[in-house]
Amino acid sequence: MAIALGLPGYRGSQLFSWIHKRGVTDPEEMTNLPRELRDHLATLEPILPMKGGTVLRSSDGTRKLEVVLADEARVETVLIPDGDKLTQCISTQVGCAVGCVFCRSGKDGLKRNLTAAEILGQIFLGRGEHLSGERLSNVVLMGVGEPLHNLERVLSAIELMGHPDGIGLSSRRITLSTVGIPSGIDRLAKATSGKTALAISLHAADEETRKRLVPGVSASLVDIVKALKRYPLPKRRRFTIEYVLVKGINDRDVDARNLVRLLSSLKVKVNLIPLNPHDRTDLMPPDDGRVAAFQKILTSRDVSAFLRRRRGADINAACGQLLA
Ligand code: SAH
Ligand code: SF4
């Protein structure tokens, strides 16, 4: 930016630090820049291409922020405190083309990709909602959109998040959640040397059920597993497998046994997510007994399986309840 404006390089560092480290996006507040430069910056496109909309605060501490983009499109970002950690869930697209049957975000298809600035900007907006003493410790790309369908911009955002003079969040602390697109997984592996944590939204252990739940992906489960085997997973790290449990569709004992078999060659932990009901689906979660039985089949065969706690359910911030 500084170079494009014909400024010396150190001005670029100053600008970067104001924006990325301190989260200041109003040129007027950049007090170490000369007056003429601040005035000039104020005449350019706004640094933050979005503004905050409604904020909803859950009784469990979760906060959901509406993000209003320059073209009036809207996405959402969620802050999730957990002990001394603060995780922010970030959106990558307006809508989503995959159309998983239980997901509210994809109900109206894809509207557009977010730019790298719009992805990163959610962190700056989120800072305005930090409580005193809170500091962002983790990012999950798990909001609206399929990150591997917008990978180049997501990669730019990940790189900027990691910059030591900026937010300084190393890619180890970033989790990308995807339905599993082998070419995208390979590209991510190369770009971040396998450091970005991967969560794969599998939801099924046989091709037929997978097609039914996740209609918009052509890769087979076998191809996805192969892509994961190629991923340069750092030592002591595991993949997260996300499995939304849907009553009567993927919650039988045989589904759990098939899942164990499918995952047998991978280092994984499974997050079981009983479907969060919402107004755009008739599908339901299994009852608690069925969920426990499913989990038991996995754990008794040495597959770590956790029940994902529902966070922010009272403000529709739980999984699959984010609106496009
Ligand atoms: N597109 C990416 C990331 C965003 S979705 C992906 O699918 O992984 C984030 C997670 O929310 C996914 O695991 C998704 O399957 C889950 N999810 C979507 N709708 C849900 C619902 N109604 N109940 C529970 N989880 C849901
Ligand atoms: Fe898209 Fe993920 Fe929702 Fe599927 S679950 S429609 S991939 S956002």
Side-chain angles (χ1 to χ4, degrees):
M1 182 171 180
I3 291 169
L5 291 171
L7 300 169
Y10 73 93
R11 290 280 181 229
S13 309
Q14 287 176 322
L15 266 168
F16 191 90
S17 167
W18 276 114
I19 299 170
H20 293 262
K21 195 164 208 121
R22 305 202 226 175
V24 171
T25 52
D26 178 359
E28 196 48 43
E29 292 173 37
M30 302 180 178
T31 45
N32 61 356
L33 300 184
R35 157 70 30 214
E36 317 83 79
L37 178 55
R38 280 189 263 164
D39 288 346
H40 180 57
L41 290 173
T43 66
L44 305 176
E45 291 277 302
I47 292 171
L48 195 62
M50 65 236 278
K51 51 187 193 318
T54 317
V55 181
L56 295 174
R57 299 178 182 87
S58 163
S59 50
D60 67 12
T62 304
R63 281 142 275 165
K64 180 169 78 166
L65 283 66
E66 187 183 29
V67 179
V68 185
L69 305 164
D71 60 358
E72 292 295 314
R74 278 150 213 262
V75 290
E76 290 173 337
T77 181
V78 184
L79 290 169
I80 309 152
D82 189 9
D84 56 3
K85 289 206 313 195
L86 180 68
T87 300
Q88 186 168 359
C89 175
I90 286 184
S91 296
T92 55
Q93 298 184 304
V94 183
C96 180
V98 182
C100 303
V101 290
F102 41 73
C103 175
R104 199 175 180 183
S105 309
K107 283 291 171 207
D108 299 316
L110 174 69
K111 297 200 186 104
R112 70 171 175 89
N113 284 321
L114 295 188
T115 64
E118 288 169 334
I119 296 169
L120 201 66
Q122 294 169 58
I123 295 184
F124 303 143
L125 274 187
R127 282 173 174 161
E129 275 299 312
H130 287 192
L131 304 175
S132 73
E134 273 184 344
R135 195 165 180 274
L136 187 65
S137 60
N138 297 78
V139 161
V140 292
L141 298 163
M142 232 181 240
V144 179
E146 167 48 49
L148 294 187
H149 278 168
N150 188 20
L151 187 53
E152 294 312 314
R153 296 180 188 92
V154 165
L155 287 175
S156 307
I158 290 177
E159 194 184 333
L160 285 166
M161 282 176 215
H163 199 292
D165 299 334
I167 298 166
L169 205 65
S170 75
S171 32
R172 285 187 303 113
R173 295 174 173 279
I174 301 171
T175 301
L176 184 148
S177 174
T178 171
V179 280
I181 298 159
S183 57
I185 294 173
D186 290 341
R187 171 84 184 99
L188 178 73
K190 210 162 157 207
T192 68
S193 316
K195 288 201 192 73
T196 307
L198 255 188
I200 305 288
S201 296
L202 218 53
H203 314 313
D206 67 86
E207 304 294 348
E208 201 187 321
T209 311
R210 167 86 177 173
K211 268 268 153 308
R212 187 166 165 202
L213 293 175
V214 186
V217 172
S218 55
S220 67
L221 290 168
V222 175
D223 287 341
I224 295 170
V225 168
K226 281 190 188 151
L228 294 181
K229 290 186 87 159
R230 293 193 292 270
Y231 198 78
L233 194 67
K235 276 203 182 70
R236 292 198 297 275
R237 298 296 294 258
R238 296 185 284 183
F239 298 111
T240 301
I241 300 295
E242 291 167 289
Y243 194 102
V244 172
L245 281 163
V246 189
K247 184 176 187 157
I249 297 190
N250 64 357
D251 62 345
R252 299 163 304 169
D253 288 356
V254 62
D255 298 314
R257 288 196 298 269
N258 286 341
L259 189 60
V260 171
R261 199 166 324 121
L262 182 69
L263 300 176
S264 61
S265 60
L266 294 171
K267 282 172 70 183
V268 296
K269 69 167 176 167
V270 177
N271 272 346
L272 296 172
I273 314 163
L275 181 139
N276 288 317
H278 54 80
D279 58 0
R280 303 282 305 265
T281 182
D282 293 330
L283 298 170
M284 295 297 289
D287 58 44
D288 292 352
R290 183 88 292 270
V291 172
F294 194 98
Q295 183 179 21
K296 189 80 197 297
I297 292 175
L298 300 183
T299 51
S300 67
R301 287 162 174 78
D302 293 326
V303 176
S304 319
F306 303 91
L307 259 191
R308 169 94 65 83
R309 271 192 300 152
R310 290 179 73 195
R311 299 292 305 261
D314 55 337
I315 56 167
N316 266 8
C319 284
Q321 300 192 329
L322 296 182
L323 277 175

